[in-house]
Amino acid sequence: MHALMGHVPYKKQTRERLLSATIILLAGLLSMLPHGHVRACGLEPMLNGGFTVSHPDALNIAVAVAKARNSGLLPQAAEKQLSNDVILRLMIADLQQMNRHLKRGMNTESDTGSFSVILVGPGLWSHFFPANGHMLARYHTDGPLKDRPTVVTHHAVLKALLGDELTVSQARDLGLISFDGQGYSDVLALLEGSLINHEKLAQHQD
């Protein structure tokens, strides 16, 4: 019995290595495609138990998330597969929370234009439209906004950002979030200034 149980970690480790190798291989193949050739409606039919290729950076983000989970930086994925409806509700709730942060971080003189956000995995696209100090949002949209910047990340990363467990700068350094398209620097600055706990920052500075 003990001998049988002893094989379980090895098999699990082997599966994880095979999955990582497959993701890295697909990432290499996908990187050869021009940007804009991979797009999908939010929560399109899933591949490989919940992963869809919705953006050229999607697989790179997935590899970074897997590494962060293995190191304990991000929580492990839920063992029980949730339905698409539940996943959609959870993602939109966190995107709405992010939008509230963005509204507080904006001002009427902001130069940030519209941008898209893709949560890789299921592949949920959303659009954000800053205007006069306000932020309008459309969730569960069909692909990115044309000729506008795109923020590429994962739902687990978004939750960590909202929970002050990561900063945008840290997530970017770890490959957990990427910014694509002309004018992305304004979007990056908006997220860096909005998704931060200023009370915690002040405590660290003290």
Side-chain angles (χ1 to χ4, degrees), residues 22-135:
T22 301
I23 289 176
I24 292 170
L25 176 61
L26 289 173
L29 294 173
L30 187 60
S31 66
M32 294 185 290
L33 293 177
H35 280 217
H37 281 218
V38 181
R39 55 182 294 166
C41 178
L43 292 180
E44 67 176 12
M46 295 184 180
L47 303 176
N48 294 330
F51 186 83
T52 59
V53 180
S54 304
H55 187 275
D57 286 342
L59 290 170
N60 293 327
I61 296 290
V63 171
V65 168
K67 290 180 179 178
R69 282 174 165 162
N70 288 336
S71 69
L73 180 64
L74 293 177
Q76 293 294 324
E79 293 184 4
K80 183 178 180 181
Q81 181 63 43
L82 302 175
S83 69
N84 280 6
D85 288 341
V86 172
I87 293 173
L88 179 61
R89 287 199 298 270
L90 293 173
M91 286 184 165
I92 289 180
D94 285 330
L95 286 166
Q96 289 172 333
Q97 184 179 350
M98 184 189 82
N99 191 25
R100 290 192 290 270
H101 282 271
L102 296 180
K103 287 179 180 178
R104 289 196 294 266
M106 288 189 63
N107 58 67
T108 55
E109 299 178 356
S110 175
D111 293 328
T112 306
S114 58
F115 61 95
S116 305
V117 173
I118 169 67
L119 296 182
V120 305
L124 178 65
W125 286 96
S126 297
H127 300 162
F128 292 83
F129 305 89
N132 299 321
H134 297 282
M135 179 70 73

